[in-house]
Amino acid sequence: MTHSSQLDSKNNTRATRQQDAATLAPTGIRSPFRRPLLLFLALLAIVALSQVLPRLRLFVAHITVPTAPFRFTAQRPLTTSTMAASKFRKPPQAPPLFTHTPESLMKDTERFIASSKALLDRVVKDVTPESADFGNVLLPFARDDDQMSLESHIVGFYQAVSVDAKLRDASTEAEKKMDDFGIEASMREDIFTLVDAVFKKQKDDQGLDAESRRLLEKDQKAYIRMGLGIPAGPQRDRFKAIKKRLSELSITFQKNLNEEQGGLWFTPEELDGVPEDVTSGLTKGDKGTDHEGKLRLSFKYPDLIPTQKYCKNAETRHKVLIANENKCNDNVKLFKEAIVLRDEAARLLGYPNHAAFRIEDKMAKTPKTVDNFLADLRKRLAPGGLKEIEKLKALKKAETGSADKYFLWDHRFYDTLMLERDFQLDQNKIAEYFPLQTSIEGMLHIFEELFGLVFVKVDGKDRDAISETGKGEDIVWHQDVQVFSVWDDEGEGSGFVGYLYLDLHPRDGKYGHAANFNLQPGFINANGTRRYPATALVCNFSKPSPKKPSLLKHDEVVTLFHELGHGIHDLVSKTIYSRFHGTATVRDFVEAPSQMLENWCWTPSQIKSLSKHWSYLTPEYQQAWQASATAGEKRPAENMPDELITSIVSTRHVNDALFNLRQLHFGIFDMTVHEPASHAAVEALDASAQYNSLRHEISKLDGPEALGEGNGWGHGQATFGHLIGGYDAGYYGYLSSQVYSADMFHSVFEKDPMDGREGRRYRHTVLEKGGSQDEMVTLEQFLGRKPRAEAFYRELGVA
């Protein structure tokens, strides 16, 4: 999760855990919510102001399958530092260092918090409301935010990636300190008095550039949203206490998810059907123990998803689903406390509920707009969902002889089986053409051609050369991390753009999904020079082995491309202030750029260009393939055959109604818990029962409740990091942003996805702006008109 990813991206501004909290963008295996509705668009007038604390900032039409053969451009080797032209070898800015210890992390946090507090005190001492202006109040604060963000994002990042448990703990503690300071600073009335005075004087001052006026407007409103409209006294004190507790809950909730180590033991027979490249990597039970002869399956994606898709044993799939829904039950109480406190805080501010508070500053504006949108989409999708279930039940009956029920643990398995049998979609054969490393290289080449970029991989002594310490190991947090320096190509001026990091494989204590994290934002320094960004993709793809590389299913290719899209947004953004850098947009727009880029993964020519059979990677892998091949088996073609590409593209919308109904469940649950009729109602709410009952009502898939176990059998909300990490009353944004992504792709790129002229225009008109201007203005500038929903309707199949 921008996230999402994050986010989907984690956009750790000082406002992280309060209003516009940073995203650990999920980005599950299939990108959430593909498309929305004209109803929604008609109710959107302008983009609302994003919800960011002023002093807490640091923290498509149905595819027509083209006739084969497909035209494509063969991959060239990825540029490395030794291959790069001299102008691309020495970046003008060193990459960040990852040399913290638990002790130094806390000292650094205390230092920059003290420095920021001293600035606040100094401005209050030296400036009066009468003398206050943008230059002596807002500008010093913005520049302080800029400088603090260079350290604070990395301080908070360690808890998601470090192998050192003590460093993760220190990172968590440091983030609590940063959040506490941010809350205190955001509720200082003496600061608000000055900011409000500047706002009244200069909100329409054309002498200020547009981004600075936007900064002023957002800051002034954010102080009010932080409780300074509540009279000083017990109620304001209570509001502050709630904000601090919500910060603690958010951090602890995500830490529990990151460090979850659960799993189940199964015999090889119980895992029948699970691909060998998965089972061969599972922990084996020790001799003489109860687990002898068994394999341990974790709940991490590389284990979990293939088991749900391919395991022939229904009871195994049943056990895995139940256990996965109960893997973080310590979070059940944290989630309930969070929704109760959010509701109380919103009512203290005069809002009827937390959803009204959160959505006011987004594109949707009101909960009614969102509720109508979700309800209309549910009505349109429901008949298609029931038809899809009937087809899947017929397949289940053919396999098992009985299909009275179609269970949650049936769906991934029979969905996959249908794709294989009816559409000849062999995911394992397809994966042979998507080795992780060459897929990444192919994606980066697409971005190079489309956006005018050059990616230079930095390895070995070249890392030493650009490290401030002279030690290349200091510029990464783990030895598996890949580093790229990113540049404009010659046509774009050959200038430096920033740093891209890829952390691709699972390990203990690491963030468990796929997300983009901003490490250092870009901005304009006080001396007028540009500070360049650093951004990281954190994923969990299986590790390569001597006999086979890490191979991606096509849906994982889509996920990777989506997250790289967030990373590109983060890299090419050019704003004055870090506050608006990259993915720091309103939450119901932020996914649109990455969702639009997913279309390249469904374009035959680009699928062909991304593909390379793993046996062609090295002589050793060629030998390994030959050793595993059957007698007389012919070596596969180097690039994916056209018939396999056709099977991928033709299945894009198979069982789409069920997929989107599943996403609607998440969005409607989110709105339900944040839109209670009264505070007493949310206090009495059984979130687990609500989560499970809504899932059955919306998706029509049977859970354990169909076996007489009631609705308390699982606690999926306790594993739902989005609703704690910034998507509260905002998960609908995965759908709403699809209106814009579908419109942009089909209006501009569908005819020629690799049109470099349009790609560069998209880069400069949309991605470069970040959140520095109203997002609707950005869309209208790119499209040349207001957004329309026709393309979304066609993709949805309800045009």
Side-chain angles (χ1 to χ4, degrees):
M1 30 172 150
T2 16
H3 1 220
S4 341
S5 61
Q6 328 283 52
L7 108 196
D8 300 40
S9 62
K10 181 155 184 176
N11 199 11
N12 260 336
T13 63
R14 292 191 200 181
T16 294
R17 300 296 179 179
Q18 283 68 40
Q19 297 178 18
D20 208 16
T23 319
L24 295 175
T27 317
I29 291 306
R30 200 170 172 188
S31 168
F33 291 141
R34 289 203 183 135
R35 19 212 179 291
L37 303 171
L38 187 59
L39 167 68
F40 186 80
L41 208 57
L43 293 168
L44 295 179
I46 60 172
V47 183
L49 300 174
S50 66
Q51 303 173 30
V52 182
L53 304 191
R55 299 298 298 153
L56 234 181
R57 287 193 212 99
L58 299 178
F59 279 6
V60 292
H62 283 296
I63 292 291
T64 300
V65 181
T67 303
F70 307 124
R71 187 170 49 83
F72 76 103
T73 302
Q75 283 190 33
R76 56 175 173 79
L78 192 67
T79 303
T80 64
S81 293
T82 53
M83 297 164 54
S86 58
K87 59 187 176 185
F88 296 145
R89 292 182 184 175
K90 185 63 177 177
Q93 174 184 300
L97 297 174
F98 299 90
T99 55
H100 289 89
T101 65
E103 295 75 23
S104 71
L105 194 76
M106 297 308 299
K107 287 181 180 179
D108 286 350
T109 303
E110 290 164 0
R111 170 182 50 75
F112 61 67
I113 286 176
S115 175
S116 189
K117 184 178 184 302
L119 172 67
L120 296 174
D121 294 340
R122 185 164 63 250
V123 170
V124 168
K125 178 176 177 294
D126 295 344
V127 182
T128 65
E130 293 73 25
S131 65
D133 61 25
F134 187 89
N136 61 22
V137 178
L138 275 297
L139 188 58
F141 293 164
R143 287 178 174 163
D144 181 59
D145 286 348
D146 293 343
Q147 294 303 313
M148 189 187 287
S149 69
L150 299 180
E151 298 187 78
S152 64
H153 292 199
I154 291 172
V155 165
F157 180 59
Y158 282 112
Q159 63 190 291
V161 296
S162 178
V163 296
D164 183 346
K166 291 183 179 179
L167 188 55
R168 293 198 304 270
D169 290 343
S171 174
T172 300
E173 185 59 33
E175 188 165 1
K176 289 178 182 177
K177 286 182 177 290
M178 289 188 286
D179 282 5
D180 284 349
F181 165 69
I183 292 167
E184 293 286 348
S186 297
M187 296 187 70
R188 282 185 60 163
E189 194 148 13
D190 51 359
I191 298 293
F192 172 60
T193 298
L194 297 177
V195 172
D196 193 48
V198 178
F199 177 75
K200 290 173 180 176
K201 293 177 190 178
Q202 294 187 269
K203 62 180 178 178
D204 298 316
D205 184 355
Q206 297 303 304
L208 288 178
D209 62 87
E211 186 173 334
S212 294
R213 293 198 304 274
R214 186 170 174 83
L215 179 74
L216 173 58
E217 184 180 11
K218 283 180 172 289
D219 271 9
Q220 190 267 353
K221 187 168 187 177
Y223 279 103
I224 295 172
R225 290 170 63 82
M226 273 302 290
L228 290 177
I230 303 172
Q235 283 193 322
R236 188 188 291 182
D237 292 342
R238 174 60 181 161
F239 183 87
K240 181 190 293 187
I242 289 172
K243 284 296 181 183
K244 289 188 175 183
R245 178 57 181 161
L246 284 171
S247 169
E248 294 172 0
L249 291 170
S250 173
I251 293 168
T252 304
F253 189 102
Q254 189 59 54
K255 180 178 174 64
N256 289 343
L257 284 177
N258 289 348
E259 301 194 353
E260 178 272 320
Q261 294 294 320
L264 296 171
W265 291 92
F266 293 106
T267 65
E269 293 75 21
E270 289 173 316
L271 295 175
D272 182 31
V274 180
E276 190 273 339
D277 61 347
V278 175
T279 56
S280 63
L282 300 179
T283 299
K284 296 176 175 58
D286 293 332
K287 290 184 178 181
T289 70
D290 291 342
H291 304 312
E292 181 178 355
K294 293 184 178 181
L295 301 171
R296 188 179 188 274
L297 189 83
S298 77
F299 302 129
K300 306 301 182 186
Y301 271 16
D303 293 357
L304 180 69
I305 302 302
T307 301
Q308 293 177 328
K309 284 185 172 185
Y310 298 106
C311 184
K312 297 177 181 179
N313 189 313
E315 187 56 32
T316 296
R317 299 196 308 270
H318 182 181
K319 289 178 180 178
V320 169
L321 182 134
I322 299 298
N324 185 59
E325 294 276 308
N326 290 279
K327 66 184 178 183
C328 259
N329 286 351
D330 287 348
N331 282 349
V332 174
K333 292 182 179 179
L334 303 186
F335 183 88
K336 177 62 182 291
E337 185 179 355
I339 61 174
V340 170
L341 289 178
R342 287 168 175 167
D343 186 77
E344 182 182 353
R347 293 174 193 275
L348 285 171
L349 290 174
Y351 294 89
N353 50 56
H354 182 67
F357 167 74
R358 286 290 280 155
I359 295 171
E360 176 189 64
D361 277 358
K362 292 188 173 69
M363 297 181 83
K365 294 289 195 182
T366 69
K368 187 176 188 300
T369 301
V370 176
D371 291 338
N372 288 345
F373 168 57
L374 297 175
D376 184 71
L377 186 53
R378 178 180 176 180
K379 180 179 179 181
R380 291 171 182 266
L381 289 171
L386 291 173
K387 290 178 182 178
E388 290 172 2
I389 288 175
E390 288 307 308
K391 290 180 180 178
L392 289 159
K393 287 175 73 174
L395 180 58
K396 179 182 177 181
K397 186 173 183 178
E399 286 293 299
T400 67
S402 175
D404 293 336
K405 303 289 184 183
Y406 187 70
F407 292 108
L408 293 167
W409 51 90
D410 288 331
H411 185 56
R412 284 191 189 269
F413 179 79
Y414 287 106
D415 178 60
T416 301
L417 190 60
M418 177 179 284
L419 293 174
E420 291 178 347
R421 292 196 178 178
D422 295 355
F423 298 91
Q424 294 73 53
L425 187 74
D426 188 335
Q427 284 284 12
N428 292 315
K429 184 176 291 294
I430 287 168
E432 294 186 7
Y433 289 91
F434 290 130
L436 175 59
Q437 196 56 44
T438 56
S439 296
I440 290 170
E441 292 172 8
M443 290 175 187
L444 295 182
H445 288 320
I446 289 173
F447 291 134
E448 287 182 329
E449 185 175 342
L450 198 58
F451 299 135
L453 297 169
V454 177
F455 294 87
V456 180
K457 191 175 184 182
V458 185
D459 286 316
K461 292 182 179 179
D462 295 320
R463 291 190 182 184
D464 298 337
I466 65 173
S467 172
E468 287 183 325
T469 65
K471 298 178 180 179
E473 63 266 28
D474 289 348
I475 67 170
V476 295
W477 54 92
H478 189 270
Q479 63 266 26
D480 289 347
V481 174
Q482 301 177 39
V483 186
F484 297 82
S485 62
V486 187
W487 305 76
D488 288 320
D489 68 9
E490 188 172 344
E492 290 292 316
S494 302
F496 185 60
V497 173
Y499 290 102
L500 171 66
Y501 295 79
L502 303 180
D503 185 353
L504 300 172
H505 306 298
R507 55 182 179 268
D508 289 348
K510 181 183 171 183
Y511 176 71
H513 300 286
N516 171 239
F517 292 74
N518 175 263
L519 301 176
Q520 292 184 330
F523 53 85
I524 299 295
N525 290 306
N527 64 5
T529 61
R530 175 158 294 281
R531 179 75 196 191
Y532 303 102
T535 193
L537 263 67
V538 176
C539 305
N540 286 274
F541 301 117
S542 60
K543 295 193 74 169
S545 71
K547 293 185 177 181
K548 188 176 284 189
S550 177
L551 299 176
L552 303 179
K553 303 294 192 292
H554 180 258
D555 50 12
E556 293 175 314
V557 173
V558 177
T559 293
L560 182 57
F561 208 79
H562 178 103
E563 293 306 325
L564 268 172
H566 284 308
I568 299 303
H569 197 175
D570 206 6
L571 283 166
V572 305
S573 175
K574 287 186 177 180
T575 59
I576 299 172
Y577 307 109
S578 61
R579 162 71 169 273
F580 300 121
H581 176 80
T583 56
T585 68
V586 289
R587 195 53 60 91
D588 45 1
F589 173 79
V590 70
E591 296 296 332
S594 281
Q595 288 171 332
M596 190 199 75
L597 289 169
E598 290 179 22
N599 287 282
W600 274 251
C601 298
W602 298 96
T603 302
S605 59
Q606 299 313 307
I607 296 174
K608 178 82 83 169
S609 71
L610 287 171
S611 68
K612 187 183 184 72
H613 193 271
W614 66 272
S615 66
Y616 291 85
L617 298 183
T618 66
E620 292 77 15
Y621 281 141
Q622 181 181 355
Q623 292 173 6
W625 178 86
Q626 289 171 337
S628 63
T630 58
E633 183 177 355
K634 184 180 178 182
R635 189 181 183 190
E638 184 170 0
N639 294 104
M640 188 177 291
D642 294 340
E643 59 270 20
L644 273 184
I645 296 175
T646 299
S647 72
I648 293 173
V649 178
S650 65
T651 58
R652 183 173 187 177
H653 299 290
V654 173
N655 294 330
D656 233 9
L658 284 175
F659 172 76
N660 283 291
L661 286 167
R662 176 178 180 268
Q663 303 307 321
L664 272 175
H665 162 238
F666 296 146
I668 292 172
F669 172 77
D670 176 26
M671 292 300 293
T672 300
V673 300
H674 291 122
E675 229 182 341
S678 65
H679 189 63
V682 73
E683 288 181 313
L685 179 70
D686 183 335
S688 298
Q690 185 75 75
Y691 185 89
N692 293 323
S693 63
L694 276 175
R695 174 158 51 187
H696 178 67
E697 292 168 14
I698 295 167
S699 74
K700 302 302 181 182
L701 301 183
D702 295 312
E705 69 279 349
L707 301 175
E709 297 181 23
N711 284 314
W713 58 267
H715 309 285
Q717 79 282 4
T719 71
F720 202 172
H722 291 70
L723 300 194
I724 291 292
Y727 276 88
D728 43 303
Y731 199 85
Y732 73 91
Y734 274 106
L735 263 170
S736 64
S737 57
Q738 287 283 10
V739 169
Y740 315 126
S741 65
D743 196 7
M744 288 190 291
F745 178 76
H746 291 290
S747 299
V748 179
F749 290 107
E750 183 176 26
K751 184 178 180 181
D752 182 3
M754 295 311 297
D755 185 334
R757 182 182 61 85
E758 290 291 8
R760 285 154 178 79
R761 187 171 72 86
Y762 177 72
R763 170 185 171 178
H764 297 304
T765 307
V766 178
L767 302 180
E768 201 168 271
K769 300 298 183 183
S772 65
Q773 69 179 16
D774 187 294
E775 287 82 355
M776 188 61 75
V777 171
T778 296
L779 284 165
E780 290 177 8
Q781 288 175 346
F782 180 66
L783 293 168
R785 55 167 172 76
K786 292 185 180 297
R788 295 195 290 256
E790 285 87 345
F792 161 73
Y793 276 116
R794 293 196 303 269
E795 283 207 347
L796 195 62
V798 293

